[in-house]
């Protein structure tokens, strides 16, 4: 793509979209689906950056095109911009300023750029100390991979940038996966981070997704502050976040369960790293089965944390996901004595807050439990939420007390 021909990206191909697409854009969304494309010039390739106009010729902005994906256009700006290094630098700088405005300017562990939520569709960058973990999930961002790497180096001076461009998203965009060190010292793949005084070893090669789940930071604090003197079940513990925060808050003991052997090993290491090994026990098991067994044996906990993986990524899976939330929360509630707390999360984008609450209502009825709201959580400031784009509002979290009946 010629970078410097003409002002304001006027060399970019022009794509017109339907009335419905225009309304979507005006309502604040940045995705346009294939059936809302109207006039698309021939000869365009996945990842091309294009100008977008309404059918009547109203300029709507700049987008990345990929007709191989169900999401044919992703708006990167409401203006006609000049794609290239300067634009990448501007967006990464804005993402940094956004976090600084929330008081997160010098966190050693945080998400530096979160895809559409930072107006960079398909680009995720996490900082773990001086190691950056990168995911490029769209053909449009892939086009500027070199510029992105150079800008990240100049903004953050990392010792290592490790790429984890994996998973279904790339397949939808027609791109192969890519994983490995892409800048700096390839010999290091781990970094010790500290959040709220708690230390974790993050392995950007073997850890989950980019290495560690940063999005639960505020919710872990909520759990920590409710944990003093309590016995805690950390369900779906991954590398140990919630349980270790609970111990930092004075929990008397934690049983952490995850189906991944890697996760349990990493969580055990992290518990020890914080000096909690004698109050932390890990079990690698299917949580649904394990909760049934614990319940059958009469075991109870003062606080049960449930942080399941996304139960579906496809619309067809929504009903099953809702059933999953109903089941797992019913099982969790069965381990609580009256007065006990259920801290429960959902990261399924396609299950919205009211649908999730409905599932919890069914779970409570199944468990014959009256639940009273104790705290509401959500994503931390490095995971921005756009009102006009519900997909950015994926993380739901609440703590409920089981009332004596
Ligand atoms: N609570 C974690 C993040 C959880 S991610 C944190 O704070 O970092 C979801 C986890 O659920 C993954 O680690 C995955 O291995 C685990 N998992 C998925 N299905 C499971 C099942 N049926 N039983 C137990 N763990 C499961």
């Amino acid at each position: 793509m010629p970078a410097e021909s003409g002002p304001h990206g006027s060399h970019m191909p022009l794509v017109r979209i339907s009335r419905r697409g225009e309304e979507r854009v005006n309502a604040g969304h940045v995705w346009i689906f294939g059936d809302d494309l109207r006039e698309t010039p021939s000869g365009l390739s996945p990842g091309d950056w294009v100008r977008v106009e309404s059918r009547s010729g109203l300029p709507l902005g700049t987008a990345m095109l990929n007709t191989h994906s169900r999401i044919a256009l992703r708006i990167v700006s409401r203006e006609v911009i000049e794609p290239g290094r300067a634009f990448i630098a501007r967006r990464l700088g804005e993402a940094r300023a956004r976090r600084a405005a929330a008081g997160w300017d010098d966190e050693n562990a945080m998400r530096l750029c979160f895809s559409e939520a930072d107006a960079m569709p398909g680009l995720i960058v996490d900082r773990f100390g001086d190691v950056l973990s990168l995911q490029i999930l769209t053909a449009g961002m892939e086009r500027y991979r070199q510029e992105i790497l150079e800008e990240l180096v100049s903004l953050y001076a990392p010792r290592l940038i490790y790429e984890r461009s994996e998973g279904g998203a790339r397949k939808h965009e027609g791109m192969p996966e890519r994983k490995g060190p892409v800048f700096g010292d390839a010999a290091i793949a781990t970094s010790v981070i500290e959040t709220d005084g708690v230390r974790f070893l993050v392995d950007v090669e073997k850890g989950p997704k980019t290495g560690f789940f940063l999005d639960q930071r505020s919710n872990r604090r909520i759990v920590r502050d409710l944990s003093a003197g309590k016995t805690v079940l950390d369900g779906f513990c991954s590398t140990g976040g919630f349980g270790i925060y609970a111990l930092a808050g004075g929990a008397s003991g934690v049983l952490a369960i995850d189906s991944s052997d890697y996760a349990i090993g990493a969580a055990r290491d992290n518990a020890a790293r914080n000096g909690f090994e004698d109050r932390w026990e890990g079990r690698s098991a299917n949580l649904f089965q394990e909760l049934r067994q614990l319940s059958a044996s009469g075991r109870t906990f003062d606080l049960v944390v449930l942080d399941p993986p996304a139960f579906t990524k496809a619309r067809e899976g929504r009903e099953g996901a809702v059933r999953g939330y109903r089941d797992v929360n019913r099982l969790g509630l069965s381990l609580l004595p009256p007065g006990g707390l259920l801290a429960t999360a959902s990261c399924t984008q396609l299950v919205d807050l009211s649908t999730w609450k409905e599932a919890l209502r069914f779970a409570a009825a199944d468990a014959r439990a009256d639940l009273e709201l104790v705290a509401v959580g959500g994503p931390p400031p490095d995971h921005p939420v756009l009102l006009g784009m519900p997909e950015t509002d994926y993380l739901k979290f609440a703590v409920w007390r089981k009332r004596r009946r």
Side-chain angles (χ1 to χ4, degrees):
M1 176 175 302
E4 62 277 80
S5 65
H8 304 302
S10 54
H11 58 86
M12 278 188 292
L14 174 66
V15 171
R16 291 218 159 92
I17 62 174
S18 71
R19 185 67 203 275
R20 192 176 58 176
E22 181 188 357
E23 277 164 8
R24 223 175 134 70
V25 174
N26 288 337
H29 214 287
V30 301
W31 291 350
I32 305 298
F33 297 105
D35 47 6
D36 284 318
L37 296 187
R38 283 302 170 264
E39 289 162 44
T40 310
S42 56
L44 294 184
S45 325
D48 280 347
W49 290 44
V50 298
R51 286 181 293 141
V52 184
E53 284 187 0
S54 71
R55 283 186 82 180
S56 57
L58 223 64
L60 297 172
T62 307
M64 310 181 313
L65 177 82
N66 191 347
T67 47
H68 291 175
S69 163
R70 199 173 67 90
I71 306 166
L73 290 173
R74 294 173 198 257
I75 308 256
V76 293
S77 174
R78 304 296 167 133
E79 321 246 285
V80 178
I81 56 93
E82 184 62 44
R85 178 152 185 172
F87 179 73
I88 301 287
R90 185 179 118 201
R91 280 285 186 254
L92 290 175
E94 286 163 354
R96 185 180 212 177
R98 192 167 287 131
R99 285 150 180 77
W104 283 41
D105 41 3
D106 200 28
E107 289 294 328
N108 79 93
M110 70 166 162
R111 178 150 290 189
L112 301 173
C113 181
F114 192 13
S115 204
E116 276 85 355
D118 281 302
M120 289 286 267
L123 177 65
I124 294 176
V125 186
D126 285 347
R127 168 160 78 188
F128 302 115
D130 47 16
V131 172
L132 301 186
S133 184
L134 168 88
Q135 284 189 314
I136 296 179
L137 303 174
T138 52
M141 280 298 153
E142 182 82 4
R143 210 47 92 74
Y144 293 102
R145 181 165 173 275
Q146 199 48 42
E147 287 82 351
I148 290 166
L149 291 174
E150 285 166 18
E151 277 309 315
L152 288 173
V153 169
S154 103
L155 269 171
Y156 297 105
R159 271 178 69 207
L160 167 72
I161 302 180
Y162 196 92
E163 184 164 1
R164 291 286 299 262
S165 297
E166 306 169 289
R170 276 185 74 99
K171 213 167 285 160
H172 286 136
E173 292 271 320
M175 300 188 292
E177 302 196 333
R178 196 193 296 112
K179 179 178 179 183
V182 290
F183 168 85
D185 183 355
I188 52 165
T190 61
S191 177
V192 176
I193 59 164
E194 188 174 321
T195 60
D196 307 309
V198 178
R199 281 181 302 280
F200 297 95
L201 181 89
V202 178
D203 187 326
V204 290
E205 182 189 348
K206 301 194 196 78
K209 301 279 174 71
T210 60
F212 182 75
F213 292 103
L214 290 167
D215 57 355
Q216 291 289 14
R217 168 103 177 247
S218 329
N219 303 330
R220 290 182 189 127
R221 287 185 186 161
I222 293 176
V223 162
R224 177 196 63 196
D225 295 345
L226 290 167
S227 287
K230 294 197 167 87
T231 55
V232 176
L233 179 95
D234 182 2
F236 306 101
C237 67
S238 187
T239 57
F242 279 104
I244 295 170
Y245 265 61
L247 290 166
S252 58
V254 167
L255 175 61
I257 299 172
D258 198 287
S259 56
S260 147
D261 291 333
Y262 171 83
I264 292 296
R268 177 172 295 116
D269 267 12
N270 283 326
R273 193 172 301 278
N274 290 280
F276 298 147
E277 59 273 28
D278 42 353
R279 285 187 285 153
W280 188 94
E281 184 195 337
R283 233 175 250 177
S284 143
N286 179 322
L287 191 71
F288 289 84
Q289 283 168 16
E290 197 66 21
L291 291 177
R292 276 192 193 93
Q293 274 164 23
L294 289 166
S295 175
S297 69
R299 185 84 187 262
T300 60
F301 295 85
D302 302 319
L303 169 61
V304 169
V305 180
L306 297 175
D307 181 19
F311 281 148
T312 182
K313 295 222 152 66
R315 265 153 219 288
E316 312 81 77
R318 228 176 333 195
E319 220 170 288
V322 171
R323 214 173 316 121
Y325 286 118
R326 177 173 176 170
D327 287 348
V328 78
N329 284 288
R330 169 177 54 84
L331 291 168
L333 284 168
S334 73
L335 302 180
L336 291 179
L341 299 178
L342 175 72
T344 186
S346 161
C347 61
T348 307
Q349 221 174 47
L350 288 164
V351 174
D352 67 8
L353 179 63
S354 62
T355 311
W356 180 60
K357 271 190 165 170
E358 185 72 19
L360 294 177
R361 216 169 274 135
F362 279 119
D366 294 343
R368 306 268 181 276
D370 295 321
L371 299 185
E372 154 193 323
L373 186 62
V374 173
V376 176
D382 58 340
H383 290 64
V385 172
L386 289 174
L387 182 63
M389 192 174 172
E391 289 81 357
T392 59
D393 198 8
Y394 69 97
L395 184 63
K396 302 152 292 280
F397 179 86
V399 183
W400 305 89
R401 181 179 293 113
K402 186 173 175 179
R403 279 197 178 169
R404 194 174 298 279
R405 285 206 139 179

